[in-house]
Amino acid sequence: MLTECFFGFLVIAFTKWIYDRLTQKRCTVPGPYGLPLIGNMHQIIKSPLPLLEKWRKTYGDVYKINVAMSDVVVVHGEAIYEVLVTKSDDYAGRPPNERFGIVNDYQDILTRSADAQWKDYRKIAHQGLRQYGTGFDRIEQISMDEIQDCVERFDREDPFDPYEDMYLTVANIALIVLMGERFDKNDDMFKLTVKVDRDSLRVFGINCAYMDILPWTMNIPHESGRIFKEARVGMNTLKELCVKKTKKTFDGDNLRGVFDAIFKEQEKRKNTDQPLSDTVFKGISLNLIIAAIVTTSTALKSMIAYLLDYPDIQEKLHKEIDDAIGERIPTLEDRKRMPYTEAFILESLRFMSHIPFAIPHETMVDVTLNGYYIPKGTQVWTNLYSLHHDERYFKSREALTRSSMGLHHDERYFPDPWTFKPDRFLDDAGELIPTDQRKLLMPFGAGRRVCVGEQMARVRIFLFMTTMLQRYEFLPEKPGCPPNYDPRDGVMGTVLKMKDYKIRVKKRD
Ligand code: HEM
């Protein structure tokens, strides 16, 4: 029966493929040939980053591959700026793939194409996050307690892997910010959050992309199918729990976190012509949880690794912290007076580019990009990883500034985009170069679909890093042997991570 279904599916899929090719106005973007049905999927599953770079060199900044029977236009270089920023509206769709559907049936921010509802969902999330940024002093206090506890646990003699501790701390901080509550690591809510986060990472990785064309494989008993099922059940339970718990304990005079702010908005909209349904509330809640944890914790993991190889950079960070903060607890206000630390964070986000292709976009109308015709409904990947290591822009501060201002950018300097160099984001006076001069740095994406949690992530990273560096000097497990933090050797899943490593710490006087 299973075999018959499979062959039945192949015949239908093949007929559709032929039909599409004969009837549609074709995308004129060039690209490598793939196999029937699976396209180039078998090639990119193994190590997509170097392969996409190879194709860029062959076909140019805009080329087409085929993944799971869909054309995917891959964009590199400054064309990314056109896709994400200058013609943002035209590219602000999301492909309606099967895996996206399990998040909340497209009734959420992350997976929904840009329409009036999506705009409204983003507004609701922003309102909540903004209130947190300005109003919730208590949250800052509890988050800092959580970070301090984590940093306290680093006080060990033996070498240790800092990641798990940081990951759990970031997860708890996300829950504090969103729900206004600090959870015990053994609390069911906390354990479920961590499980959903880890399962979704596996489900949305490139090696589960085949489920988009073979959705029935989600239901057959095999390893990925099992994870998929667990992820779906976990997500449903978690979002249900978040909304139920928020409503049950809500006190309008004492907003505890972002979900309270969203619930308040829901109450306000009751009996209006724009109500906020529980389904959407759940979708937004789940988005904010799953997007917040692994991104921020993997970023912290790489940041510590760079310090181990660059004692001089670590020394500059220590000095800035000593001068600007001293021994008191770091605060958000300190960021303004700490350009070197900010440059270090920007360079770290550039260097690893943790979400290498952003999240897939889709064209909302027929478009022309670099002279090629791309029909409405085509999937588009913006290769931020490649952009952030593109020698045309990241070889020197001058090149970055010039290209960001739209001036010529094709001179060849010595290649150093693979060198970790916070100074590239500082001017001659040691101040952070203005945002409009680093437009091609887009670790959070840009334009209409820019990351909703950018500010929250940057604040968390700043507070975490300054608290750790205030207390310790970070050293490699074996003197003179820092871990391999080269992104080209990173582990590629939904996010790009470096491999695990151990550190030693020395308490600072
Ligand atoms: C270092 C941490 C983070 C990085 C590097 C990061 C990066 C990104 C990127 C590249 C995108 C895709 C943009 C696009 O589709 O073009 C994105 C989207 C998103 N991020 Fe983040 N993110 C981080 C942290 C967070 C946090 C803390 C939250 C929530 C509190 C969050 C919530 C979201 C949401 C909801 C979207 C979807 C936006 C949309 O589809 O309109 N992210 N992020």
Side-chain angles (χ1 to χ4, degrees), residues 33 84 100 111 152 208 217 222-223 352 382 470 493:
Y33 284 109
L84 295 183
F100 277 175
T111 70
E152 211 62 65
C208 280
T217 56
H222 71 314
E223 177 63 3
M352 193 55 91
T382 49
Q470 196 178 34

Side-chain angles (χ1 to χ4, degrees), residues 84 94 109-110 118 122 288 291-292 295-296 355 358-359 361 443-445 449-453 456-457 461:
L84 295 183
R94 289 274 191 240
I109 306 168
L110 217 131
W118 167 84
R122 269 188 77 108
L288 296 180
T295 44
T296 312
I355 313 210
I359 299 171
H361 286 230
F444 297 94
R449 295 216 79 122
V450 67
C451 172
V452 170
M456 172 171 158
I461 289 170

Side-chain angles (χ1 to χ4, degrees), residues 40-56 63 65 67 74 76 205-207 356-357 381 383 385-386 486-493 495-497 499:
N40 305 99
M41 205 165 80
H42 62 299
Q43 294 167 290
I44 60 163
I45 257 176
K46 274 195 202 141
S47 50
L49 298 172
L51 188 62
L52 295 186
E53 205 50 41
K54 193 176 125 199
W55 284 333
R56 175 179 83 82
Y63 58 87
I65 58 173
V67 182
V74 185
H76 293 244
I206 205 155
N207 46 355
F357 314 131
W381 293 358
N383 196 335
Y385 169 91
S386 162
D486 190 324
R488 289 166 290 193
D489 299 323
V491 183
M492 179 64 197
V495 295
L496 178 63
K497 284 187 195 183
K499 296 191 184 104

Side-chain angles (χ1 to χ4, degrees), residues 280-299:
V280 172
F281 188 176
K282 286 178 197 165
I284 299 176
S285 311
L286 187 62
N287 282 174
L288 296 180
I289 290 185
I290 56 178
I293 303 173
V294 79
T295 44
T296 312
S297 50
T298 37

